[in-house]
């Protein structure tokens, strides 16, 4: 700046800054100018104050000027933008968090399981839906080579899904009525919520027109009847057979008493018991499953089950309780011990069915003749076999009230010091005589209730 030239300067703070704050602010502004002072004109701005000098007047003579534009410029503008940006960002993040919470709440509400339309059910989740074309491809168009089972309600096929998982695909024959479809949907919803180590798990379903398909987990060792009576007869040792009895009892106890509603299977038989890789049993085919009403009794207008395995009160009168499954379980126990089918009379010169034969051998204290000849005699103890036969006969008592619950059966099988069992003579049903809906029945009029106390079992 030339010698003798005049210098003009000004400084001002905002009105909201006190005297001390203004002095500090101007001090900072002055030091900022000293860092790089221009020759003719310099400006310094700090938050709340403004300073300027020049070799020329920058205000009109004898007039005041509005300094607001100067105070909004420079560092104050930058810092204000930073503060505003931070506050805006925080507000934006809070808005995103709120929207995310609303979306999660709405999703849970939309996907919340609807109250089941099955009798007595609480809230059940729906099954997984498979594409029909995927199941068709998995079973090679339901090829006969892939068929692993068949029954009155449809055939079962082995399938390989795209993810490499092996499944059992069951095609059901369902009527094209709206009621039949409703029953199917209700039943599938029920089955998909039943999960137990001794029950075959339903993975999902599919429906195309009148064709309904259920997808189950695949059991490598097929069904129990094939290992007892088929080409693989003699495969099971005594320990495996005993574990199968206990596993079946636990699965039925879960259905009857541990699930949130009582489920009656109605078709317990050796062909409906599947075995996994370790020969652990899993009860299958819930196509006939029904829920037990609150009054614990139900008269069915339509018989469903397999004669020989079916309890007399259900086969003859249509009276359905969970003790129907108990009776069927007792028959399967006899099949497991003997390796004989319930209706196999070829080994008996008197053409006696398995239950009647078992009772007579028990009466004559000759139960060793009932044991499967393929079993190694060193694998079991005769007293143990006798006790299990007593449990089976207790399960097949004529009066349903005399039969134990399945949870009591589990305790009887596993307990070594349980009460003495003295079963009464059961009712014998000729599964070949069924004329005009009537079943031929013979029983002893002197049959009495078993002496074992159910309250004793429950207390144990």
């Amino acid at each position: 700046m030339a010698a003798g030239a005049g210098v003009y300067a000004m400084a001002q703070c905002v009105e909201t800054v006190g005297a001390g704050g203004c002095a500090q602010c101007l001090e900072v502004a002055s030091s900022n100018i000293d860092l790089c002072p221009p020759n003719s004109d310099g400006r310094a701005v700090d938050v709340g104050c403004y300073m300027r000098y020049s070799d020329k007047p920058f205000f009109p003579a004898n007039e005041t000027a509005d300094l607001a534009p100067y105070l909004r410029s420079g560092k104050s503008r930058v810092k204000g933008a930073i503060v505003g940006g931070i506050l805006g960002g925080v507000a934006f993040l809070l808005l995103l968090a709120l929207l995310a919470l609303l979306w999660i709440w709405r999703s849970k509400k939309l996907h919340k399981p609807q109250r089941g339309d099955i009798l007595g059910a609480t809230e059940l989740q729906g099954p997984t839906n498979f594409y029909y074309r995927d199941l068709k491809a998995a079973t090679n168009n339901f090829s006969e080579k892939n068929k692993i089972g068949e029954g009155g309600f449809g055939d079962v096929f082995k399938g390989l899904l795209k993810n490499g998982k092996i499944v059992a695909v069951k095609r059901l024959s369902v009527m094209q009525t709206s009621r039949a479809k409703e029953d199917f949907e209700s039943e599938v919803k029920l089955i998909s919520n039943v999960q137990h180590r001794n029950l075959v798990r339903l993975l999902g379903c599919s429906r195309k027109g009148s064709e309904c398909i259920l997808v189950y987990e695949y059991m490598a060792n097929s069904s129990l009847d094939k290992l007892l009576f088929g080409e693989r007869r003699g495969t099971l040792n005594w320990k495996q057979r005993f574990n199968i009895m206990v596993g079946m009892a636990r699965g039925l106890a879960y259905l009857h008493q541990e699930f949130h509603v009582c489920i009656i299977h109605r078709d317990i038989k050796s062909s409906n018991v599947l075995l996994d890789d370790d020969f652990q049993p899993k009860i299958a085919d819930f196509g006939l499953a029904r829920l037990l009403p609150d009054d614990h009794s139900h008269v069915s207008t339509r018989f469903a089950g397999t004669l020989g395995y079916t309890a007399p009160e259900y086969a003859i009168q249509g009276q359905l309780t969970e003790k129907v499954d108990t009776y069927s379980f007792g028959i399967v126990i006899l099949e497991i011990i003997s390796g004989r089918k319930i209706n196999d009379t070829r080994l008996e010169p008197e053409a006696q069915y398995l239950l009647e034969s078992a009772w007579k051998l028990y009466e004559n204290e000759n139960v060793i003749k009932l044991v499967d000849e393929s079993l190694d005699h060193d694998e079991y103890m005769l007293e143990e076999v006798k006790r299990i036969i007593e449990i089976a006969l207790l399960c097949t008592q004529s009066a349903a009230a005399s039969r134990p619950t399945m949870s009591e059966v589990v305790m009887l099988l596993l307990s070594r010091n349980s009460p003495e069992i003295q079963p009464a003579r059961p009712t014998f049903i000729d599964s070949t005589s069924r004329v005009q809906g009537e079943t031929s029945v013979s029983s002893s009029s002197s049959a009495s209730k078993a002496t074992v106390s159910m309250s004793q079992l429950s207390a144990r």
Side-chain angles (χ1 to χ4, degrees):
M1 187 175 297
V7 177
Y8 302 90
M10 60 83 58
Q12 188 172 351
C13 293
V14 296
E15 294 179 356
T16 57
V17 177
C22 181
Q24 293 178 1
C25 182
L26 292 175
E27 183 179 354
V28 173
S30 176
S31 62
N32 288 339
I33 290 178
D34 291 340
L35 293 177
C36 185
N39 291 330
S40 59
D41 198 341
R43 292 183 178 87
V45 180
D46 197 49
V47 180
C49 65
Y50 173 79
M51 180 178 289
R52 179 183 178 186
Y53 72 86
S54 175
D55 59 354
K56 296 179 181 179
F58 40 81
F59 291 124
N62 300 322
E63 292 184 12
T64 60
D66 183 12
L67 300 179
Y70 299 102
L71 296 177
R72 288 195 298 267
S73 62
K75 290 185 180 180
S76 62
R77 180 181 298 175
V78 174
K79 292 186 178 181
I82 293 174
V83 173
I86 293 174
L87 293 176
V90 171
F92 180 70
L93 291 176
L94 289 175
L95 179 61
L96 287 180
L98 179 61
L99 291 175
L101 290 174
L102 289 174
W103 181 83
I104 293 173
W105 175 82
R106 180 173 176 82
S107 298
K108 289 184 176 180
K109 185 176 180 180
L110 290 175
H111 292 88
K112 186 177 181 180
Q114 300 297 317
R115 182 167 296 274
D117 54 353
I118 351 180
L119 191 60
T122 53
E123 292 181 348
L124 301 176
Q125 297 180 354
T128 301
N129 290 316
F130 285 84
Y131 288 110
Y132 179 84
R133 62 176 180 270
D134 291 340
L135 297 180
K136 186 177 180 180
T139 58
N140 193 20
N141 196 18
F142 302 104
S143 169
E144 285 292 323
K145 294 181 179 180
N146 287 52
K147 183 185 289 188
I148 56 177
E150 57 184 11
F153 287 84
D155 298 332
V156 183
F157 300 84
K158 182 179 179 180
L160 179 63
L161 300 179
K162 292 180 178 179
N163 60 5
K165 185 178 182 64
I166 301 176
V167 295
V169 181
K170 183 167 188 177
R171 301 175 76 183
L172 300 178
S173 303
V174 180
M175 294 182 296
Q176 299 185 15
T177 63
S178 58
R179 179 51 189 261
K181 293 179 180 178
E182 290 176 2
D183 290 345
F184 171 78
E185 293 174 356
S186 297
E187 201 162 290
V188 168
K189 185 180 292 186
L190 168 70
I191 301 169
S192 63
N193 284 267
V194 177
Q195 296 187 16
H196 187 271
R197 61 183 296 182
N198 297 117
L199 301 174
V200 173
R201 188 161 62 95
L202 177 68
L203 303 178
C205 65
S206 178
R207 198 174 75 185
K208 183 178 182 181
S210 62
E211 186 175 10
C212 300
I213 300 177
L214 299 177
V215 182
Y216 292 96
E217 58 180 332
Y218 177 74
M219 295 290 104
N221 279 309
S222 190
S223 57
L224 177 61
D225 65 323
K226 293 182 178 179
L227 276 75
L228 292 177
F229 323 123
E231 295 179 356
R232 300 178 64 186
R233 185 176 186 273
T235 301
L236 298 172
N237 58 38
W238 174 251
K239 183 179 179 180
Q240 290 171 328
R241 298 188 192 209
F242 179 77
N243 289 338
I244 290 171
M245 299 177 204
V246 175
M248 286 181 61
R250 283 174 170 162
L252 287 173
Y254 174 83
L255 290 177
H256 294 172
Q257 297 170 280
E258 298 173 24
F259 193 50
H260 68 277
V261 288
C262 177
I263 303 174
I264 307 175
H265 188 284
R266 291 208 294 177
D267 199 23
I268 294 296
K269 55 186 177 181
S270 54
S271 60
N272 280 339
V273 178
L274 305 184
L275 304 174
D276 64 12
D277 294 345
D278 299 321
F279 295 98
Q280 292 299 314
K282 290 180 181 286
I283 299 172
D285 199 348
F286 289 85
L288 300 177
R290 291 295 183 271
L291 296 180
L292 182 66
D294 294 334
D295 60 0
H296 285 71
S297 64
H298 176 66
V299 176
S300 174
T301 58
R302 181 182 62 180
F303 174 84
T306 303
L307 287 174
Y309 296 92
T310 307
E313 74 275 6
Y314 179 50
I316 300 171
Q317 301 173 349
Q319 183 179 357
L320 179 63
T321 68
E322 69 270 25
K323 297 298 183 68
V324 168
D325 286 346
T326 303
Y327 182 95
S328 303
F329 172 79
I331 298 296
V332 176
I333 286 185
L334 295 178
E335 289 186 327
I336 293 174
I337 292 175
S338 65
R340 287 177 50 191
K341 295 182 180 179
I342 179 62
N343 57 359
D344 183 8
T345 63
R346 291 175 298 175
L347 301 180
E348 293 291 339
E350 299 178 9
Q352 295 171 343
Y353 289 94
L354 181 58
L355 179 57
E356 185 175 4
S357 177
W359 172 255
K360 289 186 176 181
L361 291 172
Y362 173 74
E363 272 190 321
N364 298 328
E365 298 184 355
N366 195 19
V367 293
I368 188 64
K369 285 190 175 181
L370 190 67
V371 180
D372 190 346
E373 294 179 354
S374 66
L375 285 171
D376 187 343
H377 295 282
D378 296 331
E379 292 180 351
Y380 61 87
M381 297 178 61
L382 184 59
E383 286 301 317
E384 182 183 16
V385 173
K386 180 183 177 182
R387 179 168 181 79
I388 294 176
I389 292 175
E390 290 175 342
I391 295 172
L393 293 174
L394 186 63
C395 291
T396 56
Q397 295 292 277
S398 299
S402 299
R403 302 170 201 153
T405 64
M406 290 310 304
S407 60
E408 290 166 345
V409 171
V410 174
M411 289 188 289
L412 285 172
L413 288 170
L414 297 178
S415 176
R416 296 181 179 179
N417 299 313
S418 55
E420 183 181 355
I421 302 173
Q422 294 181 0
R425 178 184 174 90
T427 297
F428 305 130
I429 299 181
D430 183 352
S431 60
T432 62
S433 302
R434 189 170 177 82
V435 182
Q436 297 180 352
E438 296 183 358
T439 305
S440 172
V441 179
S442 62
S443 63
S444 172
S445 59
S446 62
S448 60
K449 292 184 178 180
T451 60
V452 61
S453 169
M454 293 298 111
S455 61
Q456 278 183 287
L457 291 175
S458 299
R460 295 185 67 83

